[in-house]
Amino acid sequence: PLARLHLIIRTTPGKIPSYKVDDLENRLVAAARSWTDNLSDALVAQYGEEKGLGILDRFAGAFDAGYRGHYGANQALQDIGKIETLVADGGIGMTLYRPADTPANRIRFKVYHPERSIPLSDALPLFEHMGFRVVDEVPHEVRLRQDQDRMIMIHDFGLESKDGAGVDMDSIRENFQDAFVRVWRGEIESDGLNALVSGVGLTWREVVILRAYAKYLRQAGIAFSQAYMEQTLAANAKITRRIVDLFVTLFDPGPRGSKAGTTARNRSAKANRIKANIAKGLDAVVSADEDRILRRFLNAVDSTLRTNFYQTTEDGGQKSYLSFKLNSRAIEELPLPRPLYEIFVYSPRIEGIHLRFGMV
């Protein structure tokens, strides 16, 4: 129950460094405390004594030795919060963070997965498509022995931007995590367009707009592969952002109760300003192929008459598919014979087009 450690330290007379006894004693006390002691203090400070000690009772022996050696009590506190939410609500948990002294082009991303580990062959392509290289991956098992020996797997991925650019973690966090979980659930496709979330700052739904137009252009006979179109959109971030802005300006119905005439005039004026801005940006594009691709996207959006993008389901959710009606006569390089209208429908499960050659 009681021990004393006596240290004899050889020094050079006259060259003993300055020190404070209280500081040394405090550091020795901290070093002598166990990882569980520190976790207990953190939980009590966060939740109060009764609830904090209750959580400690569940998690004190849940973390493996590798985890305790790698993470401190404050990091464990955050992980416990994620695990508690996962256990209550199901699904997966996520945390995007950057440790101290980490280069600006690197971040870390924790994925909390119940019952089993994630196959790396499933996870790595998702990060690659989102514009990152996976530098390392550190797995840890968390076993909640008082919860029917339930296991939660923590995968801590080290990510590095492909182009070496710095990552503004705070600005992309919400969009990045939202896009990742929707890809994981199969609600959106995993392809190179997802790099626009971190590279351009688009939301996953805005990326779906560009993906749907890319699929349409492929059916319309564009000469370029989807991979090349993905690279072009990512390489011309400002123009890509403005193309999405043009779509939003043309079709966002705006708040209810606004005057239709005023809204239409404002929308038209703003759309013209955006198109002029895009045209100015296109003048600076060096590659003829990239210029052609960007102009085809611009032309497709500008030739769109209607869309269901802003419609909702009966429960107020977002529809799982995107459709838009096109003025086919205005579509550039469309093969003959050109129909009067096309209605293109896209989702991760199906894509198709309805051609109308005359008025109904």
Side-chain angles (χ1 to χ4, degrees):
L2 182 64
R4 171 172 291 182
L5 181 66
H6 188 183
L7 303 178
I8 299 176
I9 303 172
R10 297 185 180 278
T11 64
T12 302
K15 295 185 178 181
I16 299 175
S18 60
Y19 64 93
K20 293 182 179 179
V21 174
D22 290 344
D23 289 347
L24 287 175
E25 288 181 347
N26 291 335
R27 290 172 64 186
L28 286 169
V29 169
R33 288 173 59 84
S34 70
W35 187 87
T36 303
D37 291 335
N38 293 328
L39 179 61
S40 176
D41 288 350
L43 287 169
V44 170
Q46 179 75 15
Y47 298 105
E49 185 172 1
E50 182 178 357
K51 184 177 179 180
L53 293 179
I55 296 174
L56 177 68
D57 197 36
R58 293 184 63 204
F59 283 91
F63 297 99
D64 57 37
Y67 181 97
R68 296 195 300 272
H70 193 75
Y71 303 105
N74 289 330
Q75 289 172 301
L77 189 67
Q78 297 175 11
D79 290 340
I80 287 172
K82 293 289 184 179
I83 292 170
E84 293 273 72
T85 300
L86 187 154
V87 170
D89 301 337
I92 62 172
M94 297 165 292
T95 296
L96 186 69
Y97 71 105
R98 177 183 283 130
D101 301 324
T102 300
N105 67 326
R106 290 195 176 189
I107 55 176
R108 298 201 71 85
F109 186 59
K110 285 183 183 178
V111 180
Y112 309 80
H113 195 269
E115 309 305 338
R116 61 181 178 83
S117 60
I118 297 173
L120 293 182
S121 59
D122 291 347
L124 298 190
L126 270 66
F127 295 119
E128 292 282 338
H129 287 153
M130 296 184 79
F132 292 94
R133 279 189 289 266
V134 179
V135 179
D136 64 89
E137 183 265 344
V138 183
H140 296 288
E141 284 188 10
V142 181
R143 292 196 172 273
L144 307 179
R145 305 194 190 285
Q146 294 186 9
D147 190 7
Q148 299 178 348
D149 200 23
R150 186 167 188 175
M151 191 269 278
I152 305 296
M153 198 73 189
I154 300 178
H155 294 271
D156 191 353
F157 294 95
L159 308 178
E160 178 182 78
S161 60
K162 285 185 178 180
D163 58 3
V167 180
D168 187 349
M169 189 180 62
D170 293 333
S171 67
I172 73 165
R173 177 182 281 108
E174 183 176 351
N175 288 344
F176 182 91
Q177 295 185 169
D178 202 8
F180 181 89
V181 73
R182 290 181 184 278
V183 172
W184 190 257
R185 294 173 185 165
E187 296 175 14
I188 60 175
E189 291 190 57
S190 179
D191 59 27
L193 288 172
N194 289 331
L196 299 172
V197 171
S198 56
V200 182
L202 300 182
T203 66
W204 69 269
R205 289 204 80 218
E206 291 172 332
V207 172
V208 169
I209 295 170
L210 295 171
R211 183 174 291 121
Y213 279 111
K215 301 290 187 180
Y216 167 74
L217 290 174
R218 290 291 297 156
Q219 288 209 24
I222 194 170
F224 305 100
S225 68
Q226 179 167 328
Y228 191 38
M229 290 191 285
E230 293 168 358
Q231 294 169 16
T232 297
L233 293 172
N236 297 273
K238 290 183 179 179
I239 296 176
T240 300
R241 172 77 263 181
R242 288 172 186 142
I243 290 173
V244 173
D245 290 342
L246 177 62
F247 180 93
V248 173
T249 299
L250 290 173
F251 302 110
D252 186 351
R256 292 183 178 181
S258 57
K259 294 182 179 179
T262 302
T263 302
R265 287 194 299 270
N266 292 343
R267 180 182 292 125
S268 178
K270 184 177 179 181
N272 288 332
R273 290 195 298 269
I274 293 173
K275 284 188 281 187
N277 204 315
I278 292 173
K280 185 177 179 180
L282 287 170
D283 290 339
V285 176
V286 177
S287 168
D289 285 344
E290 290 188 1
D291 179 88
R292 187 176 168 191
I293 289 170
L294 293 168
R295 289 183 188 277
R296 291 294 301 275
F297 272 89
L298 172 61
N299 170 248
V301 172
D302 202 27
S303 302
T304 302
L305 301 173
R306 288 189 290 143
T307 179
N308 76 331
F309 184 76
Y310 291 99
Q311 295 177 2
T312 56
T313 58
E314 291 183 359
D315 60 0
Q318 296 151 342
K319 290 191 173 181
S320 61
Y321 60 93
L322 170 61
S323 59
F324 43 78
K325 181 179 181 179
L326 296 151
N327 175 10
S328 304
R329 307 292 167 86
I331 297 291
E332 296 173 357
E333 301 182 37
L334 190 67
L336 298 175
R338 295 188 179 185
L340 180 63
Y341 299 119
E342 295 169 87
I343 296 89
F344 185 75
V345 181
Y346 164 78
S347 83
R349 287 162 292 284
I350 187 172
E351 59 188 73
I353 195 161
H354 170 68
L355 309 179
R356 273 174 45 192
F357 282 85
M359 300 299 290
V360 175

